């Protein structure tokens, strides 16, 4: 079975500061990794995903994430955040080559950007 | 183009009643998913449809929950004899291929279900 852990339920940060949202996963098989963002009262939107190749993945809105296989991590970073980045961020995995493409989500991290 | 749409956006019902939630996926997407988002359980997978294959129902929490997908497009999630613990936001997503290829899932805005 697969599981995803997002240890930080909430991360407060000042505008223009850098931020890192942590994600660790557990799986006995190869997985794909995703970060989704959910703005207030909206659905989920894909930020970025790792399927294969370069372990540094760049996404929308200036976010990037690095896949670290040995540490089973996929942390999300942004060098300078804006007020508009305030949202909930979800890390997720799906099984590489599995029968379905279902996503297994972490519990989410609320990024609260303060002026 | 049009994204995934869901209706209704909000549904309030009384305990014991049946409800139907509808999802219109992106045109041409062969895979469709239902998830549930609740305070206590976070985001949970419910069911997955891919083309004409048998659906993956492994996430349905009880036999009160069922779903169908007609004509490979629109899907309806039905909850019978609703309970208060069914209160949640029900999210639908679609993707181009499904399977184990990691293709991107596009989510609808969700249906907020409140069971009184």
């Amino acid at each position: 079975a697969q599981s995803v852990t997002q240890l930080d339920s909430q991360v407060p940060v000042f505008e223009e500061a850098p931020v890192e949202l942590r994600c660790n996963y557990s799986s006995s098989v190869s997985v794909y990794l995703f970060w989704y963002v959910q703005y207030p009262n909206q659905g989920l939107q894909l930020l970025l995903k790792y399927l294969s190749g370069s372990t540094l993945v760049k996404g929308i809105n200036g976010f990037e994430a690095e896949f670290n296989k040995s540490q089973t991590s996929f942390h999300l970073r942004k060098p300078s955040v804006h007020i508009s980045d305030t949202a909930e961020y979800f890390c997720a995995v799906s099984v590489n080559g599995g029968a379905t493409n279902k996503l297994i989500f972490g519990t989410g991290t609320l990024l609260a950007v303060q002026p | 183009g049009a994204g995934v749409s869901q209706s209704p956006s909000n549904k309030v019902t009384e305990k014991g009643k049946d409800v139907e939630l509808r999802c219109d996926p992106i045109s041409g997407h062969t895979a469709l998913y239902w998830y549930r988002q609740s305070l206590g359980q976070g985001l949970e997978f419910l069911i997955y449809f891919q083309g004409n294959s048998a659906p993956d129902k492994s996430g349905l929490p009880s036999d009160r929950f069922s779903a169908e997908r007609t004509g490979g497009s629109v899907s309806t999630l039905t909850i019978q004899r609703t309970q208060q613990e069914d209160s949640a936001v029900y999210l639908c997503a679609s993707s181009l291929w499904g399977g184990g290829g990691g293709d991107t899932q596009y989510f609808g805005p969700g249906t907020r279900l409140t069971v009184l």
Side-chain angles (χ1 to χ4, degrees):
Chain A
Q2 293 71 44
S3 66
V4 178
T5 301
Q6 293 180 250
L7 285 173
D8 305 307
S9 59
Q10 188 168 347
V11 172
V13 63
F14 288 107
E15 195 173 17
E16 297 183 6
V19 71
E20 179 179 83
L21 305 183
R22 297 180 294 167
C23 172
N24 288 86
Y25 69 93
S26 174
S27 177
S28 58
V29 298
S30 177
V31 294
Y32 299 125
L33 296 142
F34 306 80
W35 275 99
Y36 278 84
V37 60
Q38 187 174 35
Y39 297 103
N41 299 314
Q42 294 187 29
L44 294 160
Q45 179 183 3
L46 180 71
L47 273 179
L48 48 79
K49 65 181 180 181
Y50 173 79
L51 301 183
S52 65
S54 172
T55 57
L56 182 63
V57 181
K58 294 190 183 296
I60 62 171
N61 301 340
F63 284 93
E64 63 180 33
E66 185 150 23
F67 170 55
N68 187 317
K69 188 174 181 179
S70 62
Q71 297 187 5
T72 60
S73 68
F74 191 54
H75 300 332
L76 181 70
R77 302 187 188 100
K78 186 169 182 178
S80 175
V81 295
H82 302 129
I83 295 286
S84 59
D85 292 323
T86 294
E88 187 130 30
Y89 292 78
F90 292 93
C91 182
V93 302
S94 68
V95 174
N96 181 339
T100 76
N101 200 28
K102 66 182 180 185
L103 292 169
I104 297 157
F105 287 92
T107 50
T109 298
L110 178 61
L111 176 62
V113 182
Q114 305 164 27
Chain B
V4 177
S5 61
Q6 294 185 244
S7 60
S9 55
N10 280 285
K11 176 71 176 179
V12 180
T13 190
E14 293 180 348
K15 178 182 172 181
K17 300 283 190 185
D18 298 352
V19 295
E20 285 190 352
L21 312 180
R22 177 188 167 104
C23 172
D24 283 87
I26 293 172
S27 177
H29 280 193
T30 63
L32 187 147
Y33 316 76
W34 283 97
Y35 295 88
R36 179 169 71 173
Q37 186 173 24
S38 60
L39 283 176
Q41 302 298 324
L43 270 159
E44 307 171 273
F45 164 79
L46 296 177
I47 189 169
Y48 159 81
F49 295 92
Q50 205 284 325
N52 296 320
S53 302
D56 176 357
K57 305 179 183 180
S58 61
L60 294 179
S62 79
D63 58 8
R64 296 186 295 105
F65 287 73
S66 63
E68 62 177 19
R69 189 178 184 191
T70 53
S73 180
V74 171
S75 177
T76 302
L77 177 68
T78 301
I79 309 173
Q80 295 178 309
R81 305 180 303 280
T82 52
Q83 303 295 312
Q84 288 183 332
E85 61 262 28
D86 299 334
S87 295
V89 176
Y90 290 81
L91 294 168
C92 177
S94 69
S95 69
L96 196 54
W97 300 115
D103 60 334
T104 298
Q105 294 181 34
Y106 297 85
F107 284 79
T111 293
R112 182 175 297 277
L113 175 65
T114 303
V115 182
L116 301 177

